[in-house]
Amino acid sequence: MITPASPSTRERLTSLLRRDTVGGLLMLLAAVTALLWANLGTAGYEAVSTFVIGPMDVAHWASSGVLTIFFFLAGLELKQEFTDGSLAEPRKALVPIAAAVGGIIVPALIYLVINGAHPAGDHRGWAVPMATDIAFVMAILAIVGRGLPRALRAFLLTLAIVDDLGAILVIAVAFTADLSPVWLLAALACFVLWWLLQYRRRGAWYVFLPLGVLAWWCLHASGVHATIAGVVLGLLTRARRDPGEAAAPVQRWQHRWQPISSGLAVPVFALFAAGVTLEPELLGQLFSDPVALGVAAGFMLGKPIGITLTAWLTTRLTGAALDPSLHWRHVLAGGLLAGVGFTVAIFVTELAFGGGPEQDIAKTAVLLTSACAAVLGGGLLALMGRTGTATAGSGVRQTR
């Protein structure tokens, strides 16, 4: 007979799932499992992925349903940062914010140039190399971060948050299907009610949970990608603590939903999104197909160049400066690490190509370049930490 886990066991498990390293490892394990399953048991993987439950099959439930929890956490984190975090004072966050914008624009331009110059180019994937996987980047930084300045984590966290916001806006604007005004108005009504309940300090979890599900369904029916509901609801959640309140809803819900996101939502998405059949023909195309080359160059070159160059120009053209403990080599290595574009990049790949061989090529390129960026960027940062070049005691201030 199976007995339920004790409260202390559940608390230890949820505490473990809140760690960046654990979430990143579970995501990686799910991706490896997907690749093995898709290549060793293709028929079984395809049968499970296409099994229909209600209005969608399992694969779409993974990308449009449970992944909404991940985007809800992203919305909560954005709200926290806008309220009293790294984005509360834009002037202090100007350099990483500008770096994030450069890390969004330059990879997209590189992809478009490569595919525009090739007769078989496909412009639809321009948004794929824009996205940085905040979960993986923070997990890798947690592993290699010993000896690195604390300011580097704040820099990369701000950069990744703004990067996520840019990806969310692209998803909302560029990948919206035919719009249904009635359902969109219904979704807006749900959002307004959510905000009103937050503003009036009314409602409990048994009110907000069905309201959130209803908002998700209305947005799904409207033609806007349903995961945007998670972001909007997160941004509309109250982030300031009332007198006598232990924590504001943003902090409480981050604490409650983070283990569900890292332990269930993101691994389930990775399991049904990363299952690419690695046929010899597909692997051979990675070195000649313009889509694969555009994705790879966007991540491996566009991210570090765009982030470092834009950050450097910002310090030269404005009064902003890097934190005194940071060196430009940290920014460059961090920019290379930002080329890890796993979760959102694969998600955008599915939205951009909607199936077909180009989607598999783009997904494979995302997986391989993310692995390369993780090894190179993480390796450089680990080396800096070990050799002492990344210590905060160097005393060298950045020139403006």
Side-chain angles (χ1 to χ4, degrees):
M1 180 177 177
I2 299 176
T3 58
S6 66
S8 59
T9 302
R10 287 197 300 269
E11 182 55 38
R12 284 197 296 269
L13 178 60
T14 55
S15 178
L16 194 65
L17 289 172
R18 290 187 186 100
R19 297 182 183 178
D20 291 332
T21 50
V22 175
L25 288 173
L26 286 175
M27 192 192 315
L28 180 60
L29 179 62
V32 172
T33 301
L35 286 171
L36 291 174
W37 189 7
N39 286 274
L40 299 178
T42 307
Y45 184 82
E46 185 69 19
V48 175
S49 298
T50 57
F51 184 78
V52 176
I53 302 175
M56 295 184 289
D57 60 30
V58 170
H60 282 90
W61 274 115
S63 62
S64 299
V66 296
L67 196 63
T68 305
I69 299 172
F70 168 82
F71 280 99
F72 178 60
L73 264 294
L76 291 175
E77 187 161 17
L78 281 169
K79 182 61 176 287
Q80 182 68 50
E81 295 298 323
F82 279 127
T83 303
D84 56 12
S86 59
L87 300 179
E89 297 182 58
R91 184 171 180 81
K92 288 185 178 180
L94 182 59
V95 176
I97 288 174
V101 174
I104 290 172
I105 294 174
V106 174
L109 289 177
I110 288 177
Y111 179 94
L112 288 173
V113 167
I114 290 175
N115 280 266
H118 199 287
D122 192 329
H123 70 278
R124 292 178 297 170
W126 63 272
V128 173
M130 291 172 56
T132 294
D133 193 303
I134 185 172
F136 255 146
V137 168
M138 291 298 106
I140 294 167
L141 192 61
I143 294 171
V144 304
R146 179 174 295 181
L148 295 171
R150 294 173 62 89
L152 180 60
R153 188 183 191 281
F155 180 91
L156 287 177
L157 181 62
T158 303
L159 186 150
I161 288 171
V162 176
D163 190 293
D164 273 358
L165 181 59
I168 289 163
L169 291 174
V170 167
I171 292 169
V173 175
F175 299 110
T176 295
D178 295 334
L179 222 55
S180 170
V182 174
W183 282 109
L184 185 59
L185 287 173
L188 291 175
C190 292
F191 296 146
V192 170
L193 181 56
W194 180 285
W195 173 83
L196 188 61
L197 290 171
Q198 291 286 320
Y199 177 76
R200 300 292 297 272
R201 274 63 171 175
R202 300 290 178 86
W205 70 268
Y206 50 80
V207 174
F208 287 111
L209 183 59
L211 181 59
V213 172
L214 180 61
W216 175 88
W217 175 256
C218 291
L219 207 62
H220 170 73
S222 75
V224 178
H225 202 275
T227 51
I228 300 299
V231 182
V232 175
L233 294 175
L235 288 171
L236 293 176
T237 301
R238 180 167 59 87
R240 296 200 183 280
R241 182 172 60 89
D242 288 336
E245 193 176 27
V250 159
Q251 290 87 33
R252 293 201 307 269
W253 293 355
Q254 279 181 310
H255 186 79
R256 180 172 300 171
W257 286 97
Q258 180 61 49
I260 299 173
S261 176
S262 60
L264 175 66
V266 175
V268 166
F269 167 75
L271 182 63
F272 291 103
V276 180
T277 305
L278 301 178
E279 299 175 352
E281 297 80 4
L282 177 63
L283 295 175
Q285 287 179 306
L286 291 177
F287 301 97
S288 60
D289 187 272
V291 170
L293 294 175
V295 170
F299 277 127
M300 299 300 294
L301 297 177
K303 281 291 183 182
I305 292 173
I307 288 169
T308 306
L309 181 60
T310 310
W312 183 82
L313 288 174
T314 303
T315 61
R316 293 298 183 271
L317 301 176
T318 71
L322 284 177
D323 185 276
S325 65
L326 291 179
H327 193 279
W328 286 110
R329 62 172 61 92
H330 306 144
V331 178
L332 181 61
L336 186 56
L337 186 61
V340 177
F342 186 79
T343 310
V344 180
I346 289 180
F347 180 51
V348 173
T349 298
E350 294 183 343
L351 295 178
F353 295 103
E358 292 303 323
Q359 176 175 296
D360 288 342
I361 290 172
K363 278 188 179 183
T364 306
V366 168
L367 293 172
L368 292 179
T369 53
S370 292
C372 290
V375 171
L376 293 176
L380 281 175
L381 290 174
L383 182 63
M384 290 176 191
R386 284 199 302 269
T387 58
T389 59
T391 59
S394 62
V396 179
R397 296 187 68 88
Q398 303 302 317
T399 58
R400 296 187 177 187

